[in-house]
Coordinates of all heavy atoms in Angstrom, one line a residue:
L90 N 34.2 -5.6 -12.7 CA 32.7 -5.8 -12.6 C 32.1 -6.0 -13.9 O 32.5 -5.3 -14.9 CB 32.2 -4.5 -11.9 CG 30.8 -4.5 -11.4 CD1 30.6 -5.5 -10.3 CD2 30.4 -3.1 -10.8
V91 N 31.1 -6.9 -14.0 CA 30.4 -7.1 -15.2 C 28.9 -6.8 -14.9 O 28.4 -7.3 -13.9 CB 30.5 -8.6 -15.7 CG1 29.6 -8.9 -16.9 CG2 31.9 -8.9 -16.0
V92 N 28.2 -6.0 -15.7 CA 26.9 -5.6 -15.4 C 26.0 -5.9 -16.7 O 26.4 -5.5 -17.8 CB 26.7 -4.1 -15.1 CG1 25.2 -3.8 -14.9 CG2 27.5 -3.8 -13.9
V93 N 24.9 -6.7 -16.5 CA 24.0 -6.9 -17.6 C 22.7 -6.3 -17.1 O 22.1 -6.6 -16.1 CB 23.8 -8.4 -17.9 CG1 22.7 -8.6 -19.0 CG2 25.1 -9.0 -18.3
R94 N 22.2 -5.3 -17.9 CA 21.0 -4.6 -17.6 C 19.8 -5.0 -18.4 O 20.0 -5.6 -19.5 CB 21.2 -3.1 -17.8 CG 22.2 -2.4 -16.9 CD 22.2 -0.9 -17.1 NE 22.7 -0.6 -18.4 CZ 23.8 0.2 -18.7 NH1 24.4 0.7 -17.7 NH2 24.2 0.4 -19.9
D95 N 18.6 -4.8 -17.9 CA 17.4 -4.9 -18.7 C 17.1 -6.3 -19.1 O 16.7 -6.5 -20.3 CB 17.4 -3.9 -19.8 CG 17.5 -2.5 -19.4 OD1 16.9 -2.1 -18.3 OD2 18.2 -1.7 -20.0
I96 N 17.3 -7.3 -18.3 CA 16.9 -8.7 -18.6 C 15.4 -8.8 -18.3 O 15.0 -8.7 -17.1 CB 17.7 -9.7 -17.7 CG1 19.2 -9.6 -18.0 CG2 17.2 -11.1 -18.0 CD1 20.0 -10.4 -17.1
R97 N 14.6 -8.9 -19.3 CA 13.1 -9.0 -19.0 C 12.8 -10.4 -18.4 O 13.4 -11.4 -18.8 CB 12.4 -8.9 -20.4 CG 12.5 -7.5 -21.0 CD 11.5 -6.7 -20.4 NE 11.5 -5.4 -21.0 CZ 11.1 -4.3 -20.3 NH1 10.7 -4.4 -19.1 NH2 11.2 -3.1 -20.9
F98 N 11.9 -10.4 -17.5 CA 11.4 -11.7 -16.9 C 9.9 -11.6 -16.6 O 9.3 -10.5 -16.5 CB 12.2 -12.0 -15.6 CG 11.9 -11.2 -14.4 CD1 10.8 -11.5 -13.6 CD2 12.5 -10.0 -14.2 CE1 10.5 -10.7 -12.5 CE2 12.2 -9.2 -13.1 CZ 11.2 -9.6 -12.2
G111 N 8.8 -7.9 -15.1 CA 9.7 -6.9 -14.8 C 11.1 -7.0 -15.5 O 11.2 -7.7 -16.5
T112 N 12.0 -6.3 -14.9 CA 13.4 -6.2 -15.5 C 14.3 -6.5 -14.4 O 14.2 -6.0 -13.3 CB 13.6 -4.8 -16.0 OG1 12.6 -4.4 -16.9 CG2 15.0 -4.7 -16.6
A113 N 15.3 -7.4 -14.7 CA 16.4 -7.7 -13.8 C 17.7 -7.0 -14.3 O 17.9 -7.0 -15.5 CB 16.6 -9.2 -13.8
H114 N 18.4 -6.5 -13.4 CA 19.7 -6.0 -13.6 C 20.7 -6.8 -12.8 O 20.5 -7.0 -11.6 CB 19.8 -4.5 -13.2 CG 18.7 -3.7 -13.8 ND1 18.7 -3.3 -15.1 CD2 17.6 -3.2 -13.2 CE1 17.6 -2.6 -15.3 NE2 16.9 -2.5 -14.2
L115 N 21.7 -7.4 -13.4 CA 22.6 -8.3 -12.7 C 24.0 -7.9 -12.8 O 24.5 -7.6 -13.9 CB 22.4 -9.7 -13.3 CG 22.9 -10.9 -12.5 CD1 22.0 -12.1 -12.8 CD2 24.3 -11.1 -12.7
A116 N 24.8 -7.8 -11.7 CA 26.2 -7.5 -11.7 C 26.9 -8.6 -11.0 O 26.4 -9.2 -10.1 CB 26.4 -6.2 -11.0
Y117 N 28.2 -8.9 -11.5 CA 29.0 -9.8 -10.8 C 30.5 -9.4 -10.9 O 30.9 -8.8 -11.8 CB 28.8 -11.2 -11.2 CG 29.5 -11.7 -12.5 CD1 30.8 -12.3 -12.5 CD2 28.9 -11.5 -13.7 CE1 31.4 -12.7 -13.6 CE2 29.5 -11.9 -14.9 CZ 30.8 -12.5 -14.9 OH 31.4 -12.9 -16.0
L126 N 27.1 -14.2 -21.1 CA 26.0 -13.2 -20.8 C 24.6 -13.7 -21.0 O 23.7 -13.4 -20.3 CB 26.3 -11.9 -21.5 CG 27.7 -11.2 -21.3 CD1 27.9 -10.0 -22.1 CD2 27.9 -11.0 -19.8
G127 N 24.4 -14.5 -22.1 CA 23.1 -15.1 -22.3 C 22.8 -16.1 -21.2 O 21.6 -16.3 -20.9
L129 N 23.3 -15.7 -18.1 CA 22.7 -14.9 -17.0 C 21.2 -14.8 -17.2 O 20.4 -14.9 -16.3 CB 23.4 -13.6 -16.8 CG 24.9 -13.7 -16.4 CD1 25.5 -12.3 -16.4 CD2 25.0 -14.3 -15.0
A130 N 20.8 -14.5 -18.4 CA 19.4 -14.3 -18.7 C 18.7 -15.7 -18.6 O 17.5 -15.7 -18.1 CB 19.2 -13.8 -20.2
V133 N 18.1 -16.2 -14.8 CA 16.9 -15.4 -14.4 C 15.6 -16.1 -14.8 O 14.7 -16.3 -14.0 CB 17.0 -14.0 -14.9 CG1 15.7 -13.2 -14.6 CG2 18.2 -13.3 -14.3
L164 N 25.2 -9.1 -7.5 CA 24.1 -8.2 -7.1 C 23.0 -8.3 -8.1 O 23.3 -8.3 -9.4 CB 24.6 -6.8 -7.0 CG 23.6 -5.7 -6.6 CD1 24.0 -4.9 -5.5 CD2 23.2 -4.9 -7.8
V165 N 21.8 -8.4 -7.7 CA 20.6 -8.4 -8.6 C 19.6 -7.4 -8.1 O 19.2 -7.3 -6.9 CB 19.9 -9.8 -8.6 CG1 18.6 -9.8 -9.3 CG2 20.9 -10.9 -9.1
V166 N 19.2 -6.5 -9.0 CA 18.1 -5.5 -8.8 C 17.0 -5.9 -9.7 O 17.1 -6.1 -10.9 CB 18.6 -4.1 -9.1 CG1 17.4 -3.1 -8.9 CG2 19.8 -3.7 -8.3
L167 N 15.8 -6.1 -9.0 CA 14.6 -6.5 -9.8 C 13.6 -5.3 -9.7 O 13.3 -4.8 -8.6 CB 13.9 -7.8 -9.2 CG 14.8 -9.0 -9.2 CD1 14.1 -10.1 -8.5 CD2 15.2 -9.4 -10.6
D168 N 13.0 -5.0 -10.8 CA 11.9 -3.9 -10.8 C 10.7 -4.6 -11.5 O 10.8 -4.9 -12.7 CB 12.4 -2.7 -11.5 CG 11.4 -1.5 -11.5 OD1 10.3 -1.7 -10.9 OD2 11.8 -0.5 -12.0
E203 N 28.8 1.0 -6.3 CA 29.4 1.0 -7.7 C 28.5 0.3 -8.7 O 28.3 0.8 -9.8 CB 30.8 0.4 -7.7 CG 31.5 0.3 -9.1 CD 32.8 -0.4 -9.1 OE1 33.2 -1.0 -8.1 OE2 33.5 -0.3 -10.1
A204 N 28.0 -0.9 -8.3 CA 27.2 -1.7 -9.2 C 25.9 -1.0 -9.5 O 25.4 -0.9 -10.6 CB 26.9 -3.1 -8.6
V205 N 25.2 -0.4 -8.4 CA 24.0 0.3 -8.6 C 24.2 1.5 -9.5 O 23.4 1.9 -10.3 CB 23.3 0.6 -7.3 CG1 22.2 1.6 -7.4 CG2 22.9 -0.7 -6.6
A206 N 25.3 2.2 -9.3 CA 25.6 3.4 -10.1 C 25.7 3.0 -11.6 O 25.2 3.7 -12.5 CB 26.9 4.1 -9.7
L207 N 26.4 1.9 -11.9 CA 26.4 1.5 -13.3 C 25.1 1.0 -13.9 O 24.8 1.3 -15.0 CB 27.4 0.3 -13.4 CG 28.9 0.7 -13.3 CD1 29.8 -0.6 -13.2 CD2 29.3 1.5 -14.4
I208 N 24.3 0.4 -13.0 CA 22.9 0.0 -13.5 C 22.1 1.3 -13.8 O 21.5 1.4 -14.8 CB 22.2 -0.9 -12.4 CG1 22.9 -2.2 -12.4 CG2 20.8 -1.0 -12.7 CD1 22.5 -3.1 -11.2
T209 N 22.1 2.2 -12.9 CA 21.2 3.4 -13.0 C 21.8 4.4 -14.1 O 21.0 5.1 -14.7 CB 21.1 4.2 -11.7 OG1 22.3 4.5 -11.2 CG2 20.3 3.4 -10.7
A210 N 23.1 4.3 -14.3 CA 23.7 5.2 -15.4 C 23.1 4.8 -16.8 O 22.8 5.6 -17.6 CB 25.2 5.1 -15.4
G211 N 22.9 3.5 -17.0 CA 22.4 3.0 -18.2 C 20.9 3.4 -18.3 O 20.4 3.8 -19.4
S212 N 20.2 3.3 -17.2 CA 18.8 3.6 -17.2 C 18.6 5.1 -17.5 O 17.7 5.5 -18.2 CB 18.1 3.3 -15.9 OG 18.2 1.9 -15.7
A213 N 19.4 6.0 -16.9 CA 19.3 7.4 -17.1 C 19.6 7.8 -18.5 O 19.0 8.7 -19.1 CB 20.2 8.1 -16.1
A214 N 20.5 7.1 -19.1 CA 20.9 7.4 -20.5 C 19.8 7.1 -21.5 O 19.6 7.7 -22.5 CB 22.2 6.7 -20.9
D215 N 19.0 6.0 -21.1 CA 17.9 5.6 -22.0 C 16.7 6.5 -21.8 O 15.8 6.5 -22.7 CB 17.5 4.2 -21.7 CG 18.6 3.2 -22.0 OD1 19.5 3.6 -22.8 OD2 18.7 2.1 -21.4
A216 N 16.6 7.2 -20.7 CA 15.3 8.0 -20.4 C 15.2 9.2 -21.3 O 16.0 9.7 -22.0 CB 15.4 8.4 -19.0

Side-chain angles (χ1 to χ4, degrees):
L90 194 59
V91 176
V92 177
V93 179
R94 294 186 292 239
D95 301 324
I96 300 170
R97 294 275 183 209
F98 72 90
T112 305
H114 309 287
L115 198 151
Y117 79 94
L126 302 179
L129 293 173
V133 171
L164 180 128
V165 173
V166 177
L167 302 175
D168 186 357
E203 179 183 8
V205 169
L207 287 170
I208 289 167
T209 57
S212 298
D215 294 337

